[in-house]
Amino acid sequence: MNVIFEEDGSFKVGTILSDNETSLQVETASGKRSKVKASNVVLRFERASISDFMATAQHMAEEIDIDFLWECCGESEFGFLDLGADYFGHTPSPHESVAVLLRLHGAPMYFYRKGKGRYKAAPTDTLQAALAGIERKKREAEQIEQWIETLKTGQLPPEVAQHSRALLHKPDKNSMPWKALAAAAEAMQLSPLRLLERCGAIPSVENYFLDGFIAEYFPKGLGFGNYPAPADAPELPVADVSAFSIDDAATTEIDDAFSVTKLENGGYKIGVHIAAPTFGIPADSPLEQVVLSRLSTVYMPGNKITMLPDEVVERFTLAADHTCPALSLYLTLDQDLEITGTHSQAELVHIAANLRHDAIEPFFNEATVDQEGGRDYPYRDELTLLWRLGNKLEERRGKADPNRVERLDYSFHIDPQDDGSKRVRIVPRKRGSPMDKLVAELMIFVNSEWGKMLGEAGIPGIYRAQAAGKVRMTTTPSPHQGLGVAQYAWSSSPLRRAVDFINQQQLIAMLSGSKPRYAKNDAMLFAAMRDFDAAYNAYADFQEKMERYWCLRYLEQEQIDQPTGTIIKENLVRFDSMPLVMRIAGLPELEAGTPVRLQRIATDYLDLTLECRPLDV
């Protein structure tokens, strides 16, 4: 006696060696002996040899018309033996019975399993939908194969090109274009990115980097959505001063301005005036949500993504010939420029002028600042006084060092050309220039003083602290060792940074005696601080990435084939005349500070790498 039994989802044939009712000892055609549960047996039959039984049955099953078999079975549940009799028109032989069983079992779309040897035909609608799905997948597979062949020739199929932006930055790995791209890239032993580059999907590396950044950090796009116009500022006193700002030529978010008033006793009243957008952006308003979601203005060479909409910036920026709401800190100085008192207030301030670095610095610089006489220029006396005050403030922090060698900062200027291309100019600026120093020192003083005031009032703010060289953000006043101040709360750029905006909300509440926006241990304050820290670091990394890209472009643009630089350590080189630091393979072991000359061999803009070999040390 032989049996057909199910094991591991398939059917096997064997000869019974012993039958214990609940289980059988069987031997298969290969000679393997197994213990089989009686419940797994679907057919018993007499046959002398089983060596070719399953092969014959499988061949017969392949000849059975599956659609006709489905039509034969009706809507009720059935056994395979009964269906075999209907299909063949006679009592089926063991081969025929097993052939029907194999056909039923191998077509789960047509027949649902209902138990041992029992099935039910799939409903017509369900079967048609399943068959349509198979046909669709077949067509998709054929289409993918066509795209693969096209991609391998270095061409981008139009249907794939429509999805190139998503494929570059946020691919749907279940989509047909991605499957074709991934398969073609694997066949050519390339990454999908490099294959897209080869196919011309990245006409501009600059735009590729920007699109990727936007896709990750601004997934809803750069628009601000719907928001109401900023609220009108409350009635504020008008300051009896006339202020001026100092900024780069491209700055539109003018956060700070200064005023100088000579006192009768020979001293001075110095005003530091900070733009106050918080007066027009109430708590829990849609515009406040914009601030808390965008968190900071993003800077990059030749472009920026502002934290606030342009209309809001224009409303609160400290633009010339406007009287603007501001939060002011006044310093009272004696004749020796020693601080004898400070006070803060919210007010309206008239902005008389917006001074720009490129217009003023040729006259107000290290070479001219101490000269007697010399050429006159706007706000000469005020700038000189503020520079002297900046030196005093630097000494007060314990950071004055006459022997310090200031490093260079660099400004990037991207100039569009008539042919649609762009040229980059990299302009060096010595760090610690008189104009830089007076602005930096007054901002450090303001941020430290207002942080101190919040702490003394018991009102939480967001502080930057530094200890052992590590910078962190905290909601309690803590020392910033690098700056030499007891506390440092960013408050001077509320048009550009969410932290400054939040601290201004807290400061205005303190000055007005109203309830602060954030209470102690406020979970929303901690969340805003955490989100800002992550976003600010990511934005800074992106800015550095774009500066690196334009440095590489500059080398090629100016045909600098033998750039020079200085060893920082090991094979890390700081290039001359630009903010580019890169590891150069093949350099011998050299001391830090050693000048080197390199031979530029190749540039990879996607990886932002430079292949060089050393020439001279």
Side-chain angles (χ1 to χ4, degrees):
M1 177 69 69
N2 303 303
V3 291
I4 301 295
F5 61 95
E6 187 174 1
E7 184 178 84
D8 298 330
S10 61
F11 294 105
K12 297 180 180 180
V13 62
T15 300
I16 299 176
L17 301 178
S18 64
D19 188 345
N20 299 321
E21 295 186 1
T22 59
S23 65
L24 297 81
Q25 186 78 15
V26 300
E27 183 179 55
T28 63
S30 65
K32 178 183 176 182
R33 297 189 176 189
S34 303
K35 183 178 180 181
V36 177
K37 291 182 179 179
S39 58
N40 289 339
V41 174
V42 295
L43 178 67
R44 297 173 184 247
F45 64 96
E46 295 287 351
R47 181 179 170 85
S49 172
I50 60 172
S51 60
D52 61 348
F53 183 90
M54 291 302 293
T56 302
Q58 183 64 49
H59 179 72
M60 294 174 64
E62 292 170 358
E63 294 180 348
I64 294 176
D65 186 333
I66 191 69
D67 293 301
F68 181 66
L69 188 65
W70 176 80
E71 292 174 0
C72 289
C73 60
E75 297 180 0
S76 301
E77 182 182 318
F78 58 87
F80 74 96
L81 292 173
D82 298 330
L83 181 62
D86 291 341
Y87 181 82
F88 290 108
H90 59 262
T91 300
S93 68
H95 280 118
E96 291 173 332
S97 297
V98 175
V100 170
L101 175 64
L102 293 176
R103 196 62 163 144
L104 291 170
H105 201 73
M109 281 193 308
Y110 283 82
F111 307 103
Y112 301 154
R113 297 192 65 185
K114 292 296 182 180
K116 184 176 68 174
R118 299 194 62 78
Y119 298 87
K120 184 176 181 181
T124 302
D125 293 346
T126 304
L127 177 60
Q128 289 177 348
L131 293 174
I134 288 178
E135 185 60 30
R136 184 186 69 252
K137 289 182 179 179
K138 180 181 177 182
R139 291 195 304 269
E140 289 177 353
E142 292 173 350
Q143 179 65 82
I144 288 172
E145 194 58 39
Q146 292 176 12
W147 290 345
I148 291 171
E149 294 306 314
T150 303
L151 286 164
K152 286 163 70 173
T153 67
Q155 296 179 324
L156 201 62
E159 301 89 343
V160 177
Q162 294 175 4
H163 303 275
S164 59
R165 189 170 183 175
L167 292 171
L168 285 166
H169 304 298
K170 286 199 169 181
D172 176 1
K173 296 191 176 181
N174 291 317
S175 67
M176 291 170 59
W178 172 260
K179 290 177 180 178
L181 176 64
E186 183 178 6
M188 300 180 70
Q189 296 185 335
L190 294 171
S191 68
L193 174 62
R194 292 299 180 180
L195 179 54
L196 286 171
E197 179 191 26
R198 179 176 294 189
C199 293
I202 309 177
S204 166
V205 176
E206 176 196 2
N207 290 340
Y208 162 70
F209 288 144
L210 180 58
D211 288 346
F213 175 77
I214 291 172
E216 183 170 1
Y217 293 99
F218 298 88
K220 296 181 180 179
L222 297 181
F224 291 89
N226 297 322
Y227 58 88
D232 293 330
E235 292 292 330
L236 296 170
V238 180
D240 60 348
V241 299
S242 184
F244 60 93
S245 67
I246 306 171
D247 291 283
D248 286 326
T251 299
T252 57
E253 302 154 288
I254 304 174
D255 287 292
D256 51 81
F258 310 98
S259 62
V260 177
T261 305
K262 185 72 179 290
L263 301 178
E264 293 181 357
N265 64 1
Y268 299 90
K269 181 177 74 171
I270 306 299
V272 182
H273 312 284
I274 305 300
T278 53
F279 282 126
I281 303 178
D284 296 320
S285 67
L287 274 175
E288 188 194 45
Q289 291 307 309
V290 168
V291 172
L292 297 178
S293 62
R294 297 180 77 117
L295 296 165
S296 173
T297 291
V298 183
Y299 295 96
M300 69 201 83
N303 198 1
K304 66 179 178 180
I305 303 169
T306 58
M307 180 179 76
L308 288 168
D310 290 343
E311 311 88 83
V312 180
V313 171
E314 291 170 6
R315 178 83 172 269
F316 293 101
T317 188
L318 302 183
D321 300 322
H322 286 73
T323 298
C324 308
L327 188 59
S328 300
L329 173 67
Y330 288 98
L331 297 77
T332 304
L333 309 178
D334 63 17
Q335 297 180 11
D336 297 324
L337 303 187
E338 297 295 337
I339 299 173
T340 60
T342 64
H343 75 279
S344 299
Q345 64 185 63
E347 58 187 1
L348 296 175
V349 178
H350 177 68
I351 308 300
N354 295 139
L355 305 184
R356 301 298 184 174
H357 288 171
D358 58 346
I360 296 298
E361 199 155 27
F363 312 108
F364 178 62
N365 53 55
E366 285 183 320
T368 64
V369 70
D370 281 331
Q371 286 182 354
E372 294 291 339
R375 183 172 175 178
D376 196 15
Y377 51 87
Y379 294 91
R380 171 178 171 172
D381 293 342
E382 290 86 345
L383 290 170
T384 303
L385 177 69
L386 293 179
W387 171 72
R388 291 170 53 206
L389 174 60
N391 288 327
K392 285 274 189 180
L393 294 174
E394 186 180 45
E395 292 173 3
R396 176 175 169 172
R397 294 189 296 115
K399 296 299 178 179
D401 181 3
N403 299 317
R404 180 171 57 214
V405 177
E406 297 287 0
R407 285 177 52 188
L408 292 176
D409 284 331
Y410 295 90
S411 299
F412 288 78
H413 303 272
I414 311 301
D415 303 323
Q417 304 298 296
D418 293 339
D419 62 359
S421 63
K422 296 178 180 180
R423 287 186 65 84
V424 55
R425 289 181 292 122
I426 303 177
V427 181
R429 247 178 118 246
K430 190 173 182 180
R431 189 179 296 180
S433 67
M435 193 172 294
D436 284 348
K437 179 172 288 190
L438 77 85
V439 173
E441 290 299 332
L442 285 169
M443 292 306 105
I444 291 171
F445 183 84
V446 163
N447 291 328
S448 177
E449 188 70 13
W450 278 344
K452 176 184 175 183
M453 291 170 62
L454 286 175
E456 290 176 345
I459 296 175
I462 299 179
Y463 297 81
R464 285 180 73 82
Q466 185 191 55
K470 294 183 179 180
V471 178
R472 62 185 178 89
M473 304 198 78
T474 175
T475 58
T476 57
S478 303
H480 194 298
Q481 293 177 349
L483 294 176
V485 294
Q487 63 284 312
Y488 187 73
W490 264 343
S491 312
S492 54
S493 295
L495 291 172
R496 295 182 279 183
R497 290 189 301 238
V499 163
D500 303 58
F501 182 91
I502 289 170
N503 283 337
Q504 187 175 92
Q505 288 178 312
Q506 301 294 83
L507 285 163
I508 289 175
M510 178 192 70
L511 294 173
S512 65
S514 58
K515 182 180 178 181
R517 172 73 173 93
Y518 299 96
K520 285 185 177 180
N521 300 319
D522 194 318
M524 290 178 60
L525 182 64
F526 284 104
M529 178 181 70
R530 179 198 63 229
D531 293 346
F532 173 83
D533 196 29
Y536 193 73
N537 289 330
Y539 297 173
D541 289 344
F542 176 67
Q543 179 180 357
E544 182 180 349
K545 180 179 185 178
M546 295 307 296
E547 290 181 355
R548 188 180 182 91
Y549 166 76
W550 285 110
C551 285
L552 297 179
R553 281 281 303 271
Y554 182 81
L555 289 172
E556 181 175 347
Q557 168 191 294
E558 300 300 317
Q559 298 181 355
I560 303 175
D561 295 326
Q562 296 184 3
T564 58
T566 305
I567 297 293
I568 299 175
K569 62 177 182 179
E570 299 173 349
N571 64 345
L572 192 64
V573 175
R574 176 179 287 113
F575 283 65
D576 294 336
S577 304
M578 65 185 70
L580 178 62
V581 174
M582 192 167 290
R583 294 194 178 276
I584 304 299
L587 278 175
E589 187 173 340
L590 300 169
E591 292 185 2
T594 302
V596 294
R597 181 182 299 276
L598 308 169
Q599 176 69 51
R600 183 168 63 92
I601 299 172
T603 303
D604 189 322
Y605 288 109
L606 284 181
D607 282 345
L608 295 177
T609 57
L610 194 63
E611 184 182 352
C612 294
R613 64 181 178 87
L615 286 178
D616 302 319
V617 176

